[in-house]
Amino acid sequence: MTRRKKIYEGKAKILYEGPEPGTLIQYFKDDATAFDGKKKASLEGKGVINNRISEYMMTRLGAIGIQTHFIRRLNLREQLIREVEIIPLEVICRNIAAGSLSTRFGLPEGQVLPRSIIEFCLKDDKLHDPMVAEEHITAFNWASPQEIDDIMAMTLRVNDFLCGVFSTVGITLVDFKIEFGRLWENDFARVVLADEISPDSCRLWDSTTNEKLDKDRFRRDLGNVIESYTEVARRLGIMKEMPTVIQGGRPSNDDDHRASNDDDKE
Ligand code: TMP
């Protein structure tokens, strides 16, 4: 038995070499961090839920013509993805004031913004992911002007789509963070959506009560983190048998029948 090659380990995911050139396996960990890793915990089942929610969103975005790195889910915690060259930016899109926007500008959390706002942060924990302007991005060659245009257009499409998907299940998409990568085809690089879309990277509020159903429950010690992530998955109609999956770590009756390999590699 040879051990598979680890390509990269982040705070919430691990990338392994894929079965074919140009592919990788993205493994979702249970680890949760906040404040640049200063706050840490392991939340049992988080990786399983985020794998499923991200699969669902990437698949649906692919169906409306937004290219992503996602190929298919392999098992409870892993998905096969295309290998991309990650653009070192965290692209944040906001519909409602919350979090660091509220802090920076003294806006009450929950205030609807006059229009959706896109912000760019440099992906660098050591520097605390500083916010950057397009001037910095192009001057330091993190992305070209054309790539910035593509990223902004795609982010607004993702925002419109996600707002719709969540609103039909009684959830308000307050804000989210996405990442992009370059998919090389001969000498041309196409910008595609990468990383994940999950309650770790979105602010999701119950549309009626404004109850938080996302990682702010962990950041702010609100409790019931996994229960809230599970509720998001339940409302989206995925992981109907979540409790079994979380407790046993094994596929439940209706779960994972499409997976090529149901081993939860832990
Ligand atoms: P912020 O209000 O803390 O700047 O966060 C904006 C959005 O980005 C929110 O949905 C949470 C998400 N986010 C991440 O996914 N990763 C991060 O490291 C940070 C700081 C925020």
Side-chain angles (χ1 to χ4, degrees), residues 11 36 90-94 98-102 104 119 121 125 129 174-178 200-203 215-216 219:
K11 294 189 293 274
D36 300 323
E90 302 210 332
V91 182
I92 294 167
C93 182
R94 302 178 185 271
S100 71
L101 185 85
S102 290
R104 260 179 282 140
E119 297 172 338
C121 294
D125 273 349
D129 297 343
V174 173
D175 57 34
F176 62 93
K177 183 269 297 181
I178 46 179
D200 267 8
S201 56
C202 303
R203 279 199 177 91
K215 196 172 158 188
D216 272 349
R219 294 190 191 95

Side-chain angles (χ1 to χ4, degrees), residues 205-263:
W205 294 357
D206 179 277
S207 305
T208 313
T209 63
N210 279 348
E211 187 192 1
K212 296 181 199 323
L213 301 171
D214 56 66
K215 196 172 158 188
D216 272 349
R217 298 207 73 86
F218 169 70
R219 294 190 191 95
R220 304 180 188 191
D221 295 321
L222 299 174
N224 294 336
V225 185
I226 287 300
E227 289 78 358
S228 300
Y229 283 38
T230 306
E231 176 63 11
V232 173
R234 192 193 63 76
R235 289 198 198 179
L236 290 170
I238 49 184
M239 299 185 85
K240 294 186 186 67
E241 304 290 330
M242 267 306 297
T244 326
V245 172
I246 290 173
Q247 286 157 22
R250 305 299 311 164
S252 57
N253 297 341
D254 78 330
D255 189 52
D256 273 52
H257 56 278
R258 287 169 298 129
S260 59
N261 171 6
D262 271 345
D263 281 349

Side-chain angles (χ1 to χ4, degrees), residues 1 7 9 49 53 65 71 84 109 112-113 133 166 181 185 208 220 260:
M1 281 270 279
I7 304 288
E9 178 154 6
I49 308 175
I53 294 179
I71 301 173
V84 298
E109 283 213 326
V112 177
L113 299 171
F166 282 121
E185 286 161 15
T208 313
R220 304 180 188 191
S260 59

